[in-house]
Amino acid sequence: MGFIENIDSLEQVPRFEVVKEPLFDSRGQHDGVFALQRSDTNAHLGSCGVKYRPIQMEEMFDVLDTASNRVGGIDHIGYTTTGAGKKVVVQSKLHDEINVDGDKIEGYFYTVVDNTGMGSNKVAPSTQRISCDNAFHLIEKRKGDRLRHSTTFEANVDVMIGRIIENIHTVKGFGGVVKFLKNAKFSRDQMVKLTQKLIPVEKDESVKRNNKREKLVELYESGVGNVGETRWDAFNAITEFETHNRRQTPEKLVRGLLNGNLANRALKILQTTKAAKAA
């Protein structure tokens, strides 16, 4: 991802504060709505209500640094921003690789600082298969993972640190998922059915929609590192499709970190013991 700036530590991420400025109507009346803006450039980032309390980057990075140090073996290696600072994303990498039968996977997690007034901060686990650079974000909807901008921030710092540590351990445990998928046979016919579940056949559908399903089956059989025999091949066909067939931007990265995609949906199916029937 060429838009990510490389860093050696969190200290190299440019910092700015977010301030609340009251908004007034044409009569000069303030109805409890505030503008959020950068203190250094005055760039408009969003709006919020009375109870919104910006979690400053310095505060969030202190939480991230504390959690990383408690686990150990983590480097903060990059950052990017969207919309003049509306969202700031830090990329962190685990020292230890996941190695399953020679198939090596690097563990990452991303910290998203949301300064728009419309969202929460989030830490998202992620992995990257070394042989083909396929990236996969482990989206898990767990209660408490989103760090809300509110007056309760200080009281919940320890909880936030714990959530980050949980996400780091999610990455560390991905090797078990890989082992399961690599040991589970999956036929071409099953792959075809899986693509139809992920991209349902529609009446009078476009050629482009059908071509997506055909491309997924092709990658299952001949994608980088794939031989068309296991659920691991099926899963990597989808991650390769999503990783290498779309132009990446900071905005798309954030959407991928916060929302599910084909790969997330596929993994839920492939992880079940009845994946053959589910597909």
Side-chain angles (χ1 to χ4, degrees), residues 132-135 224 239-248:
C132 53
D133 289 332
N134 289 358
V224 179
T239 56
E240 183 172 345
F241 178 81
E242 293 195 312
T243 300
H244 300 291
N245 287 272
R246 299 179 183 180
R247 178 177 172 269
Q248 295 297 311

Side-chain angles (χ1 to χ4, degrees), residues 20-26 28-37 44 46-48:
K20 290 172 62 176
E21 295 290 347
L23 291 176
F24 299 91
D25 62 21
S26 58
Q29 295 179 339
H30 173 47
D31 60 0
V33 178
F34 294 80
L36 294 171
Q37 62 185 47
H44 178 72
S47 59
C48 66

Side-chain angles (χ1 to χ4, degrees), residues 10-278:
L10 284 175
E11 297 303 318
Q12 292 179 280
V13 182
R15 314 290 175 93
F16 58 84
E17 289 198 347
V18 178
V19 296
K20 290 172 62 176
E21 295 290 347
L23 291 176
F24 299 91
D25 62 21
S26 58
R27 295 170 296 177
Q29 295 179 339
H30 173 47
D31 60 0
V33 178
F34 294 80
L36 294 171
Q37 62 185 47
R38 291 179 60 153
S39 60
D40 55 349
T41 65
N42 293 326
H44 178 72
L45 303 174
S47 59
C48 66
V50 175
K51 294 183 179 180
Y52 185 93
R53 186 281 212 193
I55 299 176
Q56 302 298 345
M57 292 173 63
E58 197 72 43
E59 295 174 310
M60 189 62 200
F61 290 173
D62 283 345
V63 169
L64 173 59
D65 194 46
T66 299
S68 300
N69 288 335
R70 286 188 187 178
V71 175
I74 293 169
D75 291 323
H76 306 295
I77 63 171
Y79 79 93
T80 190
T81 62
T82 71
K86 289 185 175 182
K87 293 186 176 77
V88 179
V89 183
V90 175
Q91 182 188 46
S92 306
K93 182 179 180 182
L94 280 62
H95 289 183
D96 297 333
E97 295 174 349
I98 298 168
N99 190 330
V100 180
D101 301 327
D103 207 340
K104 297 180 180 180
I105 298 160
E106 294 175 325
Y108 295 84
F109 65 95
Y110 293 82
T111 304
V112 182
V113 182
D114 189 308
N115 297 315
T116 66
M118 300 296 291
S120 305
N121 293 356
K122 173 74 175 178
V123 175
S126 184
T127 63
Q128 186 167 329
R129 192 183 185 195
I130 295 177
S131 64
C132 53
D133 289 332
N134 289 358
F136 174 65
H137 308 311
L138 289 75
I139 306 299
E140 294 187 18
K141 301 296 183 182
R142 294 184 297 203
K143 186 177 181 181
D145 269 0
R146 295 178 183 271
L147 315 180
R148 299 191 178 281
H149 295 253
S150 71
T151 54
T152 61
F153 171 77
E154 288 85 354
N156 290 319
V157 166
D158 286 340
V159 174
M160 295 177 187
I161 291 171
R163 293 300 183 187
I164 294 174
I165 291 173
E166 283 183 30
N167 279 286
I168 295 171
H169 286 306
T170 294
V171 179
K172 290 176 175 287
F174 191 65
V177 175
V178 175
K179 187 173 293 185
F180 172 78
L181 296 178
K182 287 176 75 76
N183 290 328
K185 294 296 183 182
F186 205 69
S187 68
R188 186 181 192 278
D189 183 58
Q190 288 174 309
M191 183 63 190
V192 170
K193 292 179 180 178
L194 176 62
T195 65
Q196 292 172 347
K197 188 173 184 65
L198 297 174
I199 310 173
V201 178
E202 298 178 347
K203 183 179 179 181
D204 300 324
E205 71 177 6
S206 66
V207 173
K208 183 178 180 180
R209 188 177 179 87
N210 182 64
N211 286 346
K212 286 182 179 179
R213 290 193 295 269
E214 291 183 352
K215 182 63 176 179
L216 290 172
V217 175
E218 177 188 330
L219 291 173
Y220 157 76
E221 296 179 317
S222 58
V224 179
N226 288 354
V227 293
E229 293 180 353
T230 68
R231 297 185 196 188
W232 181 237
D233 294 325
F235 176 67
N236 279 290
I238 297 165
T239 56
E240 183 172 345
F241 178 81
E242 293 195 312
T243 300
H244 300 291
N245 287 272
R246 299 179 183 180
R247 178 177 172 269
Q248 295 297 311
T249 65
E251 289 76 15
K252 287 183 179 180
L253 171 63
V254 170
R255 285 199 296 271
L257 292 170
L258 302 182
N259 303 294
N261 49 28
L262 282 182
N264 294 114
R265 290 164 53 201
L267 184 60
K268 289 181 179 179
I269 296 172
L270 293 168
Q271 278 187 282
T272 65
T273 57
K274 297 180 180 179
K277 292 182 180 179

